[in-house]
């Protein structure tokens, strides 16, 4: 069949609210042109993030009803542990309330001043947790991974030559090497099994443990199955198992490929590290058989981890981003190519060539998409990643000015996507009218969440 359909039917609905263009302009003004400060009910289609925003299945909701809320040794914990071990094979499975809690625990133990932790690209919270513990986070993605419109099947891959050089010089100061699957900060791009295997081999040659940031492991497995030689006939569970077999542990935000609204885990083989992690867990997250989650949450993760590896789900999931990408490219909108797993990333610099990075083309586009059709995306450019010159305080722009439209799992249908595509294309037709933005107030850290903006009058 030519038509690919959503591999589910809808049992419960949540209304979304249309607003008028006039209302949206007023809402934007009240929110100081920062979409993080717009109420979700004023958003028609919310592509702010794919994290914790998915719809659970009837099987997940059913499992929640039989959650065992015992403080210690809950039945739901053992079900969760079995589900995680079935995929990852790791010995110690430690639940946490979300991904960054697993990162905090891991890096409070292994990261300190003078140490270096390489990755293909660290996600912001991973980097922040490493830097908070005074270690250095280094990104070693292949050069192709930094060129938005260059097509490469595994753009998230680790640059093995650079990793080898780093290991040769500094392996004694590298407590761990990481890989983010898929590479969120680089466009949701996958890594090949070959690259994962080779990275593992290289790190192990220098006796450096290898961890995966596994948030979107299932989406990565789909790309391996469809793009890498020798994997077409393999089952997704087997591909996932092979991927985890090369690692010594992982951090996981179950809010992505765990298919739940809240949850995560740290999983690893090393007994001594696991003991230290559980000790820290008790201090801040909770007892090791619940780690900040309710028994019912553990049940939902156990079911979600099984459902996320269904072939019909992943085919539809990855096709969604690909479909939007195709339509946008055909209309002349530049995006990161090829489309990744969980999102489409629009190149705002190419969208608005007349708006310089100092006037935040990404933030402009985020506001225009909301004004045009009530769509919410997120700026990933100089607002989020721009640095300041320490002497003059002037902005140093980020390498790319992107707008990410991230897709909640199993939430929006084909017609929502067609509507969003129409909004983007209409915004593109109006591009010459758009003006840049300025920041009128900003906090000292993570300014993108709370900064105030205003349009620049030309
Ligand atoms: N690692 C990656 C690759 C992520 O994308 C995220 C979250 C985390 C770790 C942290 O997990 O949110 O459960 O603490 N990414 C979200 C996003 C927030 O919108 O991309 P968390």
């Amino acid at each position: 069949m030519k038509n690919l359909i959503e591999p589910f039917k809808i049992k419960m609905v949540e209304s979304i609210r249309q607003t008028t263009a006039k209302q949206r302009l007023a809402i934007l003004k009240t929110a100081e042109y920062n979409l993080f400060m717009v109420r979700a009910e004023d958003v028609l289609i919310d592509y702010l993030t794919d994290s914790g925003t998915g719809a659970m299945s009837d099987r997940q909701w059913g499992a929640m009803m039989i959650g065992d809320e015992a403080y210690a040794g809950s039945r739901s914990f053992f079900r969760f542990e079995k589900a995680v071990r079935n995929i990852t094979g790791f010995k110690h499975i430690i639940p946490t309330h979300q991904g960054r809690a697993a990162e905090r625990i891991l890096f409070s133990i292994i990261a300190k001043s003078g140490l270096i932790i390489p990755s293909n690209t660290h996600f912001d919270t991973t980097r922040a947790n490493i830097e908070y513990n005074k270690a250095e986070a280094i990104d070693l993605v292949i050069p192709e991974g930094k060129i938005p419109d260059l097509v490469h099947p595994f753009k998230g891959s680790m640059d093995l030559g650079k990793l080898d050089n780093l290991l040769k010089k500094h392996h004694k100061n590298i407590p761990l090497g990481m890989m983010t699957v898929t590479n969120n900060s680089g466009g949701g791009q996958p890594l090949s099994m070959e690259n994962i295997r080779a990275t593992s081999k290289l790190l192990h040659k220098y006796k450096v443990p290898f961890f995966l940031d596994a948030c979107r492991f299932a989406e990565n497995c789909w790309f391996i199955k469809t793009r890498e030689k020798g994997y077409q006939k393999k089952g997704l569970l087997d591909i996932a198992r092979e991927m985890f077999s090369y690692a010594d542990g992982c951090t996981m935000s179950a809010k992505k490929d765990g298919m739940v609204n809240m949850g995560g885990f740290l999983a690893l083989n090393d007994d001594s590290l696991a003991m230290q992690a559980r000790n820290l867990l008790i201090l801040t997250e909770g007892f090791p058989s619940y780690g900040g989650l309710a028994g019912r949450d553990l049940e939902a993760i156990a079911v979600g981890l099984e459902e996320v590896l269904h072939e019909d789900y992943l085919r539809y999931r990855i096709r969604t981003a690909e479909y939007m990408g195709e339509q946008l490219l055909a209309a002349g909108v530049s995006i990161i190519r090829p489309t990744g797993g969980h999102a489409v990333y629009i190149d705002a610099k190419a969208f608005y060539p007349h708006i310089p990075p100092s006037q935040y083309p990404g933030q402009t586009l985020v506001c225009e998409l909301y004004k045009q059709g009530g769509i919410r995306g997120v700026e990933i450019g100089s607002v989020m990643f721009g640095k300041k010159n320490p002497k003059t305080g002037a902005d140093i722009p980020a390498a790319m000015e992107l707008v990410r439209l991230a897709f909640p799992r199993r939430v929006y249908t084909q017609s929502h996507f067609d509507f969003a595509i129409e909004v983007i294309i209409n915004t593109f037709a109006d591009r010459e009218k758009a003006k840049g933005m300025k920041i009128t107030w900003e906090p000292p850290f993570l300014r993108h969440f709370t900064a105030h903006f205003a349009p620049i009058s030309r």
Side-chain angles (χ1 to χ4, degrees):
M1 295 296 289
K2 198 162 68 51
N3 279 306
L4 186 75
I5 59 169
E6 288 85 4
F8 48 81
K9 56 184 177 176
I10 295 164
K11 193 174 290 207
M12 187 190 277
V13 296
E14 179 182 349
S15 296
I16 50 178
R17 196 168 68 93
Q18 293 274 3
T19 45
T20 63
K22 200 171 151 207
Q23 282 170 332
R24 289 195 292 276
L25 200 58
I27 290 164
L28 260 188
K29 270 189 197 149
T30 311
E32 308 283 355
Y33 296 88
N34 186 333
L35 273 290
F36 281 100
M37 300 205 280
V38 170
R39 284 171 180 244
E41 62 187 8
D42 292 332
V43 175
L44 186 65
I45 298 181
D46 204 346
Y47 290 145
L48 188 70
T49 177
D50 65 321
S51 180
T53 51
M56 292 210 299
S57 68
D58 50 355
R59 291 175 64 239
Q60 285 178 294
W61 282 108
M64 287 188 77
M65 296 305 288
I66 53 167
D68 174 3
E69 305 303 340
Y71 191 95
S74 129
R75 186 182 61 239
S76 301
F77 169 73
F78 293 110
R79 185 173 182 198
F80 158 84
E81 187 188 44
K82 193 171 161 199
V84 177
R85 192 171 290 135
N86 182 42
I87 297 171
T88 66
F90 294 129
K91 187 171 173 195
H92 302 282
I93 318 285
I94 302 170
T96 58
H97 81 272
Q98 63 184 95
R100 68 197 71 183
E103 293 164 3
R104 192 186 61 77
I105 289 170
L106 177 65
F107 294 119
S108 316
I109 302 166
I110 63 150
K112 58 174 198 272
S113 170
L115 300 186
I116 303 168
I117 296 158
S119 176
N120 51 343
T121 311
H122 292 284
F123 181 66
D124 348 349
T125 58
T126 324
R127 170 175 286 278
N129 273 294
I130 292 170
E131 291 175 352
Y132 185 74
N133 287 290
K134 309 269 187 296
E136 191 184 346
I138 292 192
D139 296 338
L140 300 176
V141 73
I142 52 169
E144 291 89 333
K146 293 183 194 161
I147 308 171
D149 58 357
L150 184 138
V151 176
H152 181 290
F154 293 106
K155 249 175 138 173
S157 297
M158 180 79 88
D159 187 324
L160 294 164
K162 281 194 190 143
L163 180 64
D164 198 18
N165 283 342
L166 185 80
L167 285 162
K168 266 191 201 120
K169 278 194 218 142
H170 298 289
H171 65 275
K172 291 215 168 71
N173 297 324
I174 302 180
L176 184 109
M178 270 198 119
M179 255 185 169
T180 313
V181 293
T182 57
N183 185 15
N184 183 9
S185 315
Q189 299 293 329
L191 295 88
S192 67
M193 193 72 91
E194 190 188 0
N195 189 254
I196 296 171
R197 195 184 303 123
T199 299
S200 164
K201 206 169 154 197
L202 196 54
L203 288 164
H204 289 152
K205 185 174 126 190
Y206 291 94
K207 303 210 174 346
V208 174
F210 171 42
F211 271 54
L212 290 170
D213 173 342
C215 299
R216 299 180 180 86
F217 74 96
E219 291 172 6
N220 203 100
C221 288
W222 179 260
F223 285 113
I224 290 176
K225 184 176 169 71
T226 52
R227 290 185 186 168
E228 190 163 351
K229 208 166 151 251
Y231 286 92
Q232 279 72 40
K233 293 219 167 71
K234 290 220 164 122
L236 288 156
L237 179 60
D238 286 338
I239 296 174
R241 283 179 175 159
E242 181 183 343
M243 184 164 98
F244 284 105
S245 76
Y246 298 122
D248 304 291
C250 73
T251 55
M252 171 80 188
S253 167
K255 300 172 74 168
K256 285 83 167 173
D257 278 350
M259 309 280 253
V260 295
N261 304 113
M262 191 51 73
F265 54 85
L266 172 65
L268 68 172
N269 287 330
D270 185 285
D271 295 337
S272 144
L273 193 56
M275 192 185 67
Q276 295 175 68
R278 288 201 177 98
N279 288 340
L280 269 182
L281 187 84
I282 291 184
L283 206 62
T284 56
E285 291 277 299
F287 190 72
S289 67
Y290 72 87
L293 294 170
R296 55 180 172 270
D297 298 332
L298 296 167
E299 292 278 346
I301 298 173
V303 178
L305 286 174
E306 192 251 305
E307 290 183 349
V308 77
L309 286 170
H310 289 186
E311 210 163 289
D312 54 357
Y313 162 71
L314 281 171
R315 180 180 297 112
Y316 134 84
R317 171 77 177 156
I318 304 302
R319 179 65 195 142
T320 306
E322 200 181 52
Y323 173 78
M324 183 186 260
E326 283 166 4
Q327 307 289 316
L328 294 184
L329 284 170
V333 176
S334 299
I335 57 168
I336 292 197
R337 296 171 67 207
T339 43
H342 67 296
V344 165
Y345 294 66
I346 301 176
D347 183 345
K349 226 189 255 184
F351 202 100
Y352 291 132
H354 60 289
I355 302 180
S358 57
Q359 296 180 8
Y360 311 116
Q363 189 63 25
T364 308
L365 181 53
V366 158
C367 289
E368 292 300 321
L369 292 176
Y370 180 73
K371 268 198 252 167
Q372 185 81 233
I375 305 242
R376 175 155 71 172
V378 66
E379 192 262 12
I380 304 191
S382 291
V383 175
M384 195 181 272
F385 289 128
K387 299 216 164 76
K388 291 227 182 280
N389 180 319
K391 281 189 194 131
T392 62
D395 266 348
I396 305 171
M400 291 194 266
E401 303 293 337
L402 303 172
V403 168
R404 183 185 78 171
L405 305 174
F407 310 141
R409 289 167 183 75
R410 305 188 290 205
V411 169
Y412 295 118
T413 63
Q414 169 86 27
S415 61
H416 291 116
F417 277 89
D418 283 327
F419 179 87
I421 290 162
E422 192 181 336
V423 170
I424 300 164
I425 293 174
N426 287 349
T427 308
F428 190 56
D430 281 351
R431 62 191 178 278
E432 280 169 18
K433 284 187 235 151
K435 296 167 191 152
M437 318 229 30
K438 61 183 177 200
I439 292 181
T440 55
W441 175 83
E442 63 181 290
F445 315 103
L446 295 171
R447 66 179 179 180
H448 55 283
F449 290 124
T450 55
H452 297 175
F453 300 88
I456 292 171
S457 41
R458 266 196 295 194

